[in-house]
Amino acid sequence: MILNRVICLVIGYVFGLFQTGYFYGKLHHIDIREYGSGNAGTTNTLRTLGWKAGLITFLGDAGKAVLAMLLAWALFHKEYPGAVSLFEMYAGFGAVLGHNFPFYMKFKGGKGIACTAGFLLTFYPPTAILCLALFVISVAITKYVSLGSILVSVCFYIQLIIFGESGHLWVDQQYLTEVYVVGAAFTVLAIWKHRANINRLLSGTENKFSISKSGNLNKSK
């Protein structure tokens, strides 16, 4: 079944290549990577182009993970019912890889949090609900989106192990260890993509979240 895993990764990567924020910016005659933080994800699009752009980007980036996982399910749920959730994980992770490292953008994409949100919602909704609550509360209190994103990544992995060990994941017992490994890859990648934010958080120089109605078209430094 190694081939199936590779197929799902590739499916996810292809879906992940659709950079919602980048294409939305192009429709408005800007390269989103040249503004704000220089990132092509939801937060920078929100800060740069406003709430509408941010919402569209989030839905698009989350949606591509959902679609990739649904395709993986459609391909393998009948033949491999006990492993299909694992295959969906590979598709979801592939979508995050495609989002973070799009080849046609010189591998400079987003940080994968919106894409991961789509994965969480599709893979196991209870984890998405708890992660969303943690994200909203942490950002509301601290105003740091990066901190909320990091906490969500860690929270997801803790929940994954708890639900897995209690038998509440839709995957056969023989695949649990692999599920944990792939889940760890999500968390490690998210933290690694936020390494600069972590340094700024530790030094007290991280920008707090704020947004005007029309956005803020300041060139990235």
Side-chain angles (χ1 to χ4, degrees):
M1 293 194 296
I2 294 178
L3 178 60
N4 296 340
R5 292 163 170 80
V6 174
I7 290 172
C8 289
L9 272 174
V10 172
I11 287 173
Y13 185 83
V14 171
F15 273 91
L17 291 175
F18 184 82
Q19 298 289 315
T20 313
Y22 174 77
F23 291 123
Y24 187 95
K26 284 297 185 181
L27 288 175
H28 292 78
H29 312 293
I30 72 167
D31 185 339
I32 194 67
R33 298 170 300 166
E34 296 178 356
Y35 294 84
S37 66
N39 187 268
T42 298
T43 302
N44 193 43
T45 304
L46 176 62
R47 283 173 168 157
T48 303
L49 294 173
W51 285 103
K52 178 182 177 182
L55 178 60
I56 291 173
T57 299
F58 175 81
L59 293 176
D61 288 346
K64 61 192 181 187
V66 174
L67 292 175
M69 294 172 71
L70 289 177
L71 180 54
W73 179 85
L75 290 174
F76 298 113
H77 77 282
K78 289 184 179 180
E79 188 173 0
Y80 302 102
V84 70
S85 289
L86 174 62
F87 295 156
E88 289 181 61
M89 284 191 80
Y90 277 101
F93 187 63
V96 173
L97 290 176
H99 176 79
N100 291 356
F101 310 107
F103 71 89
Y104 65 94
M105 294 168 61
K106 298 181 180 179
F107 303 98
K108 185 181 179 182
K111 294 181 179 178
I113 299 303
C115 204
T116 299
F119 158 74
L120 290 176
L121 184 62
T122 308
F123 181 71
Y124 198 65
T127 63
I129 294 171
L130 291 174
C131 285
L132 175 61
L134 176 61
F135 180 82
V136 171
I137 292 172
S138 61
V139 174
I141 293 174
T142 68
K143 305 300 182 183
Y144 292 129
V145 173
S146 57
L147 179 60
S149 300
I150 294 167
L151 289 176
V152 162
S153 300
V154 175
C155 177
F156 151 68
Y157 192 62
I158 293 173
Q159 289 184 78
L160 184 69
I161 294 176
I162 292 174
F163 287 127
E165 291 302 303
S166 61
H168 288 95
L169 293 182
W170 302 310
V171 63
D172 285 353
Q173 186 74 25
Q174 62 180 311
Y175 301 116
L176 265 184
T177 299
E178 190 173 356
V179 164
Y180 297 155
V181 171
V182 179
F186 275 95
T187 299
V188 170
L189 180 58
I191 293 174
W192 183 79
K193 289 291 289 184
H194 284 85
R195 62 195 184 281
N197 303 87
I198 293 173
N199 288 333
R200 291 193 294 270
L201 285 167
L202 293 174
S203 65
T205 58
E206 176 73 327
N207 292 324
K208 291 191 174 183
F209 180 73
S210 63
I211 182 69
S212 64
K213 183 177 180 180
S214 59
N216 184 18
L217 288 175
N218 290 325
K219 285 280 187 175
S220 61
K221 299 179 180 179

